[in-house]
């Protein structure tokens, strides 16, 4: 009479799968937290005063880099965490401001734009990454420019019209002062992101990475 298999192996499978999942979640959490801190540093560094309602900061660089390196959902979460920390009272907004009242200032539109821009830049970079073996500088730069000029700037203009009582023409003209600096930030972001992805090709989630993860789960 044949011996029955030991029933003790299946629970061990579940344990190993759980450990694998926790490892991935911990990595994502660490990346989100790190890049939220990066955006905060970019915000609190001395700003360039423009003589108007909104100063020039390095926040756009931090936001674009976050999206380009982490992808859409982790980039969105990183910017969201940064905003939540500032709303909670930590002085991580420009000029050391904090609290929910910052969303009643002329900068409100730019802050909302940052949240969406990280997701847009991340989505575009990840979309290209899934279809190419390597990310090219021009493609990453294009993603950053789209996120900047089709997301951040329009929402920033709308915020100034809403909170600074400016006309659309005046707000658009004022926003033009940010264009040269944002072009430079997009360029630098593309240089850095391209180099980082070349060094760490698995930083963005890809179909291949998910397939390998599933195989590890099955084989565990």
């Amino acid at each position: 009479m044949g011996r029955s298999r030991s029933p003790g192996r299946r629970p061990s499978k579940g344990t190993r799968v759980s450990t694998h999942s926790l490892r991935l979640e911990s990595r994502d959490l660490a990346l989100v937290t790190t890049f939220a801190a990066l955006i905060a540093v970019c915000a609190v560094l001395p700003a360039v005063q423009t003589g108007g309602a909104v100063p020039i900061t390095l926040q756009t660089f931090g936001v674009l880099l976050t999206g380009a390196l982490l992808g859409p959902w982790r980039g969105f979460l990183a910017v969201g965490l940064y905003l939540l920390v500032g709303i909670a009272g930590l002085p991580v907004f420009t000029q050391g401001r904090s609290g929910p009242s910052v969303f009643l200032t002329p900068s409100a539109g730019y802050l909302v734009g940052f949240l969406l821009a990280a997701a847009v830049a991340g989505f575009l970079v990840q979309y290209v990454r899934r279809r190419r073996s390597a990310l090219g500088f021009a493609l990453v730069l294009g993603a950053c420019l789209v996120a900047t000029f089709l997301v951040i700037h329009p929402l920033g203009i709308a915020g100034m019209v809403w909170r600074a009582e400016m006309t659309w023409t005046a707000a658009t003209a004022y926003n033009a002062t940010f264009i040269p600096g944002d072009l430079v930030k997009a360029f630098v972001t593309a240089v850095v992101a391209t180099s980082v992805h070349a060094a760490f090709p698995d930083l963005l989630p890809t179909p291949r990475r998910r397939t390998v993860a599933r195989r590890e789960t099955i084989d565990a």
Side-chain angles (χ1 to χ4, degrees), residues 27-69:
R27 180 195 185 196
D28 293 335
L29 179 60
L31 288 171
V32 167
T33 304
T34 299
F35 279 85
L38 171 66
I39 298 170
V41 170
C42 290
V44 300
L45 288 174
V48 177
Q49 299 300 325
T50 59
V54 182
I56 296 174
T57 71
L58 288 176
Q59 280 174 294
T60 303
F61 167 73
V63 167
L64 293 177
L65 187 63
T66 296
L69 291 182

Side-chain angles (χ1 to χ4, degrees), residues 114-191:
F114 291 157
L115 186 65
L116 300 178
V120 170
F123 171 80
L124 293 175
V125 171
Q126 183 170 282
Y127 180 85
V128 173
R129 179 69 181 87
R130 287 177 174 177
R131 285 155 180 78
R132 296 173 62 93
S133 59
L135 279 170
F137 166 81
L139 295 173
V140 179
L141 177 61
C144 292
L145 292 176
V146 168
T148 298
F149 294 107
L150 296 185
V151 180
I152 296 176
H153 283 212
L155 289 173
I157 292 170
M160 288 189 289
V161 171
W162 175 46
R163 297 308 306 172
E165 299 182 354
M166 301 171 69
T167 65
W168 285 98
T169 301
T172 301
Y174 182 83
N175 180 80
T177 61
F178 300 119
I179 292 177
D182 284 351
L183 287 172
V184 173
K185 294 169 195 173
F187 181 90
V188 174
T189 299
V191 171

